[in-house]
Amino acid sequence: MHKTDIDLVDMTMDVMKYVIDRLSSTKQKIGKPKKEEELKALVGETITENGIGGERAFKLWKKHLTKCNVPIDHPRHLAFVPASPTRAAVMFDLVTSASSIHGAYWMEGAGGIFCENEAMRWIVSLTGLPEDAFGVFTSGGTAANLSAIVTAREYWRSLKERNNLEKGLIITSIGAHSSIKAMAKVADIDVLLVDTEDKLEKEALEVTIKNLPIQQRQRLFAVVGTGGTTNAGIVDDLEGIAAICEKENLWFHVDAAYGGGALVADSVRHLFNGIEKADSITIDPHKWMFSPYDCGAVIYRNPELAKNAHSQQGSYLDIFKDEGAHGFNPTDYQIQLTRRVRGLPLWFSLATHGTDRYKEAVERGIELAQIAGRLIKENPNVELVREPSLSCVLYRRIGWDSDDYTHWTYENHEKGFALVTPTKWKQGDSYETVSRFCFINPDTTENDIDLILKSME
Ligand SMILES: *Cc1c(COP(=O)(O)O)cnc(C)c1O
């Protein structure tokens, strides 16, 4: 089973050429799902006692299954947060898989971890955190947020004996990503939401803390600000939140899973002022740093605190902690033990292209949002809900209700033409269904945006 199969190598090369040729291109259609029964009828039994053979399995994949996936890097895929991995990163993702590197401990994965750390040093430098700050790559923003929240909670518990008896409490806003609430549940922490989908401001946070009953105030240990909300690209008042956290002795976590890539863009960097005062930061390279899935990152002002929270103990692990194995062990700083060196494709791409190209590619996403804003203002059928922020654009089709948006989304998806999905925007007490663009892919064109807007007529 582990012998080299020359046919399989050839086949893999063919498929790679086919896939690489279509990366980030409108040559491919946007795939759409089929029902499980339909797929089963098309491909039949694939897991059998004797196997169906690589050639047949490959054929089924190419003919039926790959068409049921949305290529997330398609230039007219503007839903959720798209992705747009570089070819260099995609190629090195294959090398990463083929190299069988265990990325938990330096003793086993020094070469790979060295490269990850080089890339990480660049990311940390974008944040403006002090020299000692450092981070590790995770499976995504959700795992990064969980790792940071648990680190903050364990630190809080180490401060006072009685905190060990309390259930912790964190504050964030309703603009925060769903994973904050989900991960607080995993860690058994309560969440208080400030009721604004717009920028979380210093004053609102101050009032919220002031109004907490004493029992709740004692349980409060962290505030989560967002560096680019997923829905609208809004960056909270990080400077203001940092000041309150300092005054109130609270951990300050910044979730910049989506927006973190924009730290490299001179045109918007000032929006993130204050991020350098964070205790921890989440950034997803698989969103706006052009890495393939899955690659998130968590960064700590004081990595020792993360180690106190996450380092796993076991007699079988002692050898890794021995002086002889001395080095940086990524497992110590987040929730996962065995891990892929998932920062390696990013390292190769950064080394290949240089950081200036990253700056240009991110600026292009921001520019595309401005272009979309202009096209929307020129088009009498649509109007902006708010000015574009980072690379997000919320706009309404005048006269449409929520069913109209849903039908339109399905229709464009059905044709394989575009994937643009509706969302809701909250103002006061009311939620309005609107349409949303999020630009990541620098290969999206003005014409793509124009075609999508025209399809709303
Ligand atoms: C996408 C996103 C997350 C979750 O990241 P995953 O990589 O999907 O786990 C968390 N926070 C924000 C702000 C995001 O945009």
Side-chain angles (χ1 to χ4, degrees):
M1 209 159 78
H2 289 83
K3 280 201 209 112
T4 309
D5 177 338
I6 297 299
D7 287 348
L8 189 61
V9 173
D10 280 348
M11 235 158 25
T12 307
M13 290 304 164
D14 281 353
V15 170
M16 273 316 299
K17 280 187 208 138
Y18 171 86
V19 173
I20 293 274
D21 185 44
R22 277 158 180 72
L23 260 183
S24 182
S25 151
T26 44
K27 270 190 231 167
Q28 56 184 342
K29 279 198 166 183
I30 293 184
K32 50 182 185 280
K34 284 187 163 61
K35 293 207 171 78
E36 186 170 2
E37 308 87 84
E38 292 175 81
L39 287 176
K40 188 75 188 174
L42 286 170
V43 306
E45 290 301 329
T46 56
I47 305 301
T48 63
E49 276 187 3
N50 297 318
I52 61 170
E55 203 174 336
R56 169 127 187 89
F58 237 165
K59 260 198 191 130
L60 293 174
W61 172 255
K62 277 211 282 189
K63 184 146 185 239
H64 301 298
L65 300 168
T66 191
K67 292 175 186 160
C68 293
N69 300 309
V70 173
I72 222 84
D73 59 346
H74 190 287
R76 289 193 294 267
H77 173 271
L78 305 176
F80 318 113
V81 179
S84 177
T86 66
R87 281 172 174 74
V90 169
M91 291 307 296
F92 221 71
D93 206 43
L94 291 179
V95 174
T96 304
S97 288
S99 302
S100 302
I101 302 165
H102 192 286
Y105 293 101
W106 189 263
M107 180 179 170
E108 288 199 296
I113 297 165
F114 172 85
C115 298
E116 283 196 312
N117 290 354
E118 292 288 294
M120 181 57 71
R121 236 165 246 123
W122 175 66
I123 297 177
V124 175
S125 77
L126 299 176
T127 65
L129 280 168
E131 283 272 293
D132 296 343
F134 207 57
V136 285
F137 293 99
T138 63
S139 63
T142 303
N145 283 334
L146 177 59
S147 300
I149 289 170
V150 169
T151 298
R153 198 264 312 278
E154 293 306 293
Y155 172 64
W156 169 67
R157 288 203 162 148
S158 75
L159 293 176
K160 234 193 244 166
E161 192 61 43
R162 62 161 296 166
N163 292 349
N164 287 291
L165 308 171
E166 301 273 13
K167 186 175 182 185
L169 172 70
I170 62 176
I171 294 181
T172 190
S173 80
I174 59 168
H177 188 261
S178 52
S179 63
I180 299 295
K181 278 176 277 176
M183 292 306 101
K185 202 189 286 174
V186 171
D188 195 27
I189 290 163
D190 287 329
V191 183
L192 185 67
L193 295 173
V194 178
D195 189 17
T196 176
E197 220 193 318
D198 232 307
K199 197 166 166 172
L200 175 58
E201 303 271 8
K202 182 181 181 182
E203 293 71 26
L205 178 62
E206 204 162 23
V207 170
T208 305
I209 295 176
K210 212 181 193 167
N211 290 340
L212 282 179
I214 176 85
Q215 205 279 334
Q216 295 228 43
R217 177 62 190 89
Q218 280 170 355
R219 301 198 289 125
L220 178 67
F221 67 91
V223 177
V224 178
T226 307
T229 60
T230 317
N231 205 26
I234 296 164
V235 183
D236 286 343
D237 173 15
L238 302 180
E239 193 88 65
I241 300 172
I244 300 290
C245 286
E246 196 184 344
K247 190 172 103 200
E248 300 278 343
N249 254 320
L250 297 168
W251 185 280
F252 177 29
H253 177 65
V254 178
D255 181 2
Y258 151 61
L263 289 167
V264 75
D266 298 332
S267 65
V268 294
R269 179 59 181 83
H270 62 279
L271 298 174
F272 293 86
N273 286 349
I275 197 170
E276 72 285 355
K277 299 192 176 120
D279 294 293
S280 54
I281 302 172
T282 288
I283 297 178
D284 264 355
H286 68 206
K287 282 181 175 163
W288 219 353
M289 287 184 179
F290 315 109
S291 283
Y293 295 141
D294 44 18
C295 186
V298 58
I299 300 165
Y300 304 96
R301 165 177 296 274
N302 180 354
E304 278 305 300
L305 300 181
K307 206 167 168 180
N308 294 343
H310 293 293
S311 180
Q312 296 192 22
Q313 311 297 328
S315 49
Y316 39 84
L317 298 176
D318 285 348
I319 182 74
F320 292 121
K321 302 183 182 187
D322 191 74
E323 273 301 300
H326 199 68
F328 180 83
N329 297 326
T331 187
D332 287 344
Y333 304 90
Q334 42 79 48
I335 57 170
Q336 211 175 348
L337 182 65
T338 300
R339 62 182 284 282
R340 175 185 174 77
V341 273
R342 51 170 48 85
L344 203 48
L346 173 65
W347 166 78
F348 185 75
S349 182
L350 277 169
T352 300
H353 297 298
T355 57
D356 280 355
R357 299 300 302 279
Y358 275 69
K359 196 184 281 261
E360 286 162 27
V362 171
E363 289 285 12
R364 180 62 185 162
I366 295 164
E367 196 181 348
L368 284 165
Q370 296 299 326
I371 291 171
R374 173 171 58 73
L375 293 175
I376 288 163
K377 282 179 189 163
E378 286 167 9
N379 183 328
N381 292 317
V382 288
E383 63 188 10
L384 285 174
V385 171
R386 58 193 310 283
E387 285 297 315
S389 190
L390 297 184
S391 67
C392 287
V393 185
L394 297 183
Y395 67 100
R396 63 175 68 84
R397 165 68 168 81
I398 295 161
W400 275 15
D401 64 20
S402 101
D403 286 345
D404 294 321
Y405 287 101
T406 308
H407 288 312
W408 172 73
T409 294
Y410 284 154
E411 210 171 87
N412 280 339
H413 191 182
E414 183 66 30
K415 288 183 205 146
F417 160 67
L419 189 61
V420 180
T421 50
T423 186
K424 289 194 174 73
W425 175 248
K426 183 175 191 229
Q427 222 155 20
D429 286 334
S430 70
Y431 283 91
E432 181 190 356
T433 300
V434 299
S435 189
R436 169 181 172 279
F437 293 143
C438 179
F439 297 100
I440 295 287
N441 190 339
D443 292 334
T444 301
T445 62
E446 178 164 340
N447 189 44
D448 288 324
I449 304 169
D450 206 35
L451 289 172
I452 292 169
L453 291 174
K454 289 222 167 85
S455 74
M456 284 183 137
E457 279 166 15

